Amino acid sequence: NNYNPLLHHRHSIRLQGYDYSQEGLYFVTVCTHNMQCLFGNITNGQMILNQFGQIIESACQQIEQQSPYIRFNIYCIMPNHFHAIIEITSSCTGGSRTALSRPTKPLGRIIGAFKTITTKNINLINNTPGQRLWHRNYYEHIIRNDYSYQNIYNYILENPEGGIGINIGDERGDGGYDGDRGDDGDGGMGDGRGGSRTARTGPALFK
C-alpha cells in the first residue's frame, strides 16, 4: 500500500496557509475520551448538567473573561461532547482603532486552554490527577459566510436528533494543542441530541 499523507497522517489536515489567530468564526466540536458520558443526562429531551457539565459551562465564561477577543456565540453541552461557534475578534489594548493590538491566540490554543481548565477542575474533584478527559483533538470548520453561520447556529440551537444534518463540507483544519497531554489526533462530531444550550445574538462579521 502506498503512503498517502492525507489519509495516513495521524494529525488532522491543517488548512494550508490559513491564520487561525485572525478574526473569524469557527464551528468546533470536542468529544470526551472514549466518548464517555460525563457531563449529565438527557431527560425528556433536555440535557440536565451535572457538576462536571457546569464546569464545562464555567470554562467558556472564564476564557471570555480572560481573553476579551474570544466569544462563544453559541454552545451546546452534551453528555459526551461539546459544540460551539467561537468568534475571534480584534484584540486592541485600547478603545481606539489606532490602539496597539496584542497577539491573539490561534484556535488550537483556545481549545487547548478550554481542555486544560476543564480537565484540571474535573480531575481535582475526582482526585484523578493526569486522567484524560478529552479526545486528543477536535473537529473544526471555518465559517465563511452568513448562510453557513445561520445553518450551524440553528443546528446548535435546535439540536435535531440524528447528528449533524447541515452541509458544512469536509474541511478539517488546525490539529491544535491538546490541553490534556499536549498532543494531537483526530476528533469527531458526535451525536446531536437534546443538549444544554447557551445562545447569543449573531456576530457583526457578516452584517
Side-chain angles (χ1 to χ4, degrees):
N1 294 332
N2 293 329
Y3 174 76
N4 184 337
L6 298 183
L7 296 177
H8 301 134
H9 197 265
R10 75 181 183 90
H11 295 173
S12 293
I13 302 170
R14 182 188 298 271
L15 186 61
Q16 294 295 324
Y18 188 85
D19 180 3
Y20 283 88
S21 66
Q22 68 181 333
E23 290 188 347
L25 290 151
Y26 305 91
F27 173 44
V28 172
T29 296
V30 191
C31 299
T32 59
H33 181 56
N34 292 331
M35 297 301 292
Q36 299 177 81
C37 293
L38 300 174
F39 305 138
N41 297 295
I42 297 173
T43 304
N44 297 324
Q46 296 296 319
M47 175 70 180
I48 308 301
L49 296 179
N50 58 20
Q51 186 178 16
F52 299 158
Q54 292 170 1
I55 286 174
I56 304 304
E57 191 165 38
S58 296
C60 298
Q61 299 166 2
Q62 181 178 340
I63 290 171
E64 288 186 330
Q65 291 170 358
Q66 292 177 346
S67 303
Y69 58 88
I70 300 169
R71 189 169 185 257
F72 288 81
N73 281 355
I74 184 171
Y75 59 83
C76 175
I77 302 169
M78 301 294 292
N80 60 7
H81 64 280
F82 171 82
H83 294 306
I85 293 178
I86 297 176
E87 182 175 8
I88 299 177
T89 61
S90 176
S91 62
C92 291
T93 57
S96 70
R97 286 189 167 184
T98 58
L100 295 175
S101 294
R102 295 171 297 184
T104 59
K105 293 179 181 178
L107 181 65
R109 291 279 304 278
I110 295 169
I111 300 302
F114 171 81
K115 288 183 174 183
T116 297
I117 293 167
T118 52
T119 299
K120 178 181 177 180
N121 289 337
I122 288 176
N123 280 343
L124 281 174
I125 292 172
N126 285 338
N127 193 25
T128 53
Q131 181 71 36
R132 180 181 290 279
L133 175 64
W134 298 105
H135 197 283
R136 289 186 300 149
N137 203 359
Y138 61 94
Y139 172 91
E140 64 88 358
H141 171 76
I142 302 167
I143 302 176
R144 300 182 182 275
N145 54 58
D146 185 63
Y147 178 80
S148 177
Y149 178 86
Q150 291 300 329
N151 277 348
I152 295 168
Y153 187 97
N154 289 336
Y155 165 73
I156 298 175
L157 187 65
E158 297 168 4
N159 203 22
E161 290 192 1
I164 291 180
I166 51 179
N167 181 18
I168 58 174
D170 59 357
E171 180 175 51
R172 286 180 180 271
D174 187 358
Y177 163 83
D178 189 306
D180 288 340
R181 297 186 181 176
D183 54 4
D184 300 319
D186 190 17
M189 295 183 67
D191 186 320
R193 292 192 178 90
S196 176
R197 296 171 292 274
T198 295
R200 293 174 168 173
T201 57
L205 186 62
F206 303 126
K207 295 182 179 179

